[in-house]
Amino acid sequence: MINSYASSDDAAVAMAGARAGADVVRNMYGQRLNRIDKGAGDFATAADVEAEKAILGVIRAARPGDAVLGEEGGQQGAAASARQWLVDPLCGTLNYAVGNMLVAVNVALRDGAAAVADPFSGEVFFTDGETASVRHGHGEADDALLTPTSATRLVDVNLDPPFPSAPGFRTVDLLAHPEFVKRFRPRVVSTTLALTWVAAGKRAAYVTDGGDLSSSVHFAAGIALCRAARCIITGIDGAPIGEAGRGLVVAADDETHGLLMSMMRSRS
C-alpha cells in the first residue's frame, strides 16, 4: 500500500503520512506507555516513536530522496536539502499520556504541502500550498475548504515554556487585559491542533511566545494551513515570521489581529 504513494503529489503524501501517524496514535491510545525523558520536563512515549516510524515509511516510499527532520528521530538527510519534511508525530504528548484526546499529527514539506491529522475526530486538514481544506472521510468528495472566521471569539493560547519574550511579553498577561476579557474568551488546548482550528474557523486566533517557529516541526504544518487559508500571521511583535521571528500571532482576520496586537503592545 505504501508504494502506491510513489506517484502521488506532495499534498497526498503529507496526508498519507499524517493518516499513518494518526492510526498509530489512535490504536495505542489508553495503553500504559513508558515515558522517554527528553529533559526540561519534556518527554516522549512509544506512541510518538512508532507514529514517526509510520510517517517516515510513507515519506521514504513516496519521496526517497527527500530529507526529513523528525521530532523524535532528528535530522535524516542533508539539512540544507531543497526538499525537507518536518514531522511532529504526536503534538500534545502530555495530553495523550494522561488520557486526553486533544492531540495532532503534523507533517509538512518545508515551504510546500502540509497536513495535520486529528487522530480521534478522523479529520485531516491539508494544503497544497495554495488552498487549505479538511477531509472528513477518505475521498475528495468529503473535502471542504477551510474558512477562517472570528465569530467564535475564542482565542487559544500556549502557556507552556519557554517564555523568551518575558518580562516584556507574557501570554498570561494578555488574558488579564481588560479589552481581552471584554472581547474574547481564552482556551488552552496545549497542542498545535488549536493553530489548525484558526484556519478552520473554530478559533478566532492563536497566540504563543517563542523564537522562530516557521521551521519548527511543531508549527510548520499549522502555519502552512493558516497561510493557505489567508489568515493573518505575524510574530508577537507584529513583524513577519522568519529567522528573526518572535513567537506567533495567527488571527482569522485583520480586526482580530489588530486588537490582539494593541493589547500586547499596551502591556509591553
Side-chain angles (χ1 to χ4, degrees), residues 58-138:
V58 171
I59 295 174
R60 285 170 179 157
R63 301 289 187 266
D66 290 0
V68 178
L69 176 60
E71 165 72 1
E72 308 308 329
Q75 182 68 46
Q76 300 182 41
S81 173
R83 289 178 57 89
Q84 182 180 50
W85 294 86
L86 305 171
V87 175
D88 183 359
L90 176 48
C91 186
T93 300
L94 180 56
N95 282 349
Y96 186 79
V98 299
N100 189 306
M101 293 182 178
L102 289 172
V103 300
V105 177
N106 300 325
V107 179
L109 178 63
R110 189 190 298 274
D111 299 322
V116 176
D118 181 335
F120 299 104
S121 74
E123 294 173 312
V124 180
F125 305 87
F126 64 97
T127 177
D128 58 3
E130 299 295 331
T131 61
S133 303
V134 59
R135 181 166 296 179
H136 299 283
H138 289 274

Side-chain angles (χ1 to χ4, degrees), residues 1-8 13 57-64:
M1 183 177 295
I2 288 178
N3 289 335
S4 68
Y5 303 134
S7 62
S8 302
V13 174
V58 171
I59 295 174
R60 285 170 179 157
R63 301 289 187 266

Side-chain angles (χ1 to χ4, degrees), residues 214-238:
S214 62
S215 58
S216 163
V217 295
H218 305 293
F219 290 91
I223 290 173
L225 283 165
C226 288
R227 277 186 171 141
R230 307 299 186 263
C231 298
I232 311 303
I233 306 173
T234 69
I236 59 173
D237 54 0

Side-chain angles (χ1 to χ4, degrees), residues 35 63 76 91 121 132 139 198 200 205 249 257 259:
R35 298 188 180 192
R63 301 289 187 266
Q76 300 182 41
C91 186
S121 74
V198 180
V249 179
H257 184 269
L259 286 169

Side-chain angles (χ1 to χ4, degrees), residues 23-68:
D23 287 344
V24 173
V25 170
R26 185 174 56 256
N27 291 337
M28 295 185 72
Y29 179 74
Q31 299 180 21
R32 295 191 62 176
L33 302 172
N34 292 331
R35 298 188 180 192
I36 305 165
D37 184 28
K38 298 165 73 171
D42 193 14
F43 65 91
T45 70
D48 299 70
V49 176
E50 293 304 316
E52 183 163 306
K53 288 179 182 178
I55 296 167
L56 292 182
V58 171
I59 295 174
R60 285 170 179 157
R63 301 289 187 266
D66 290 0
V68 178

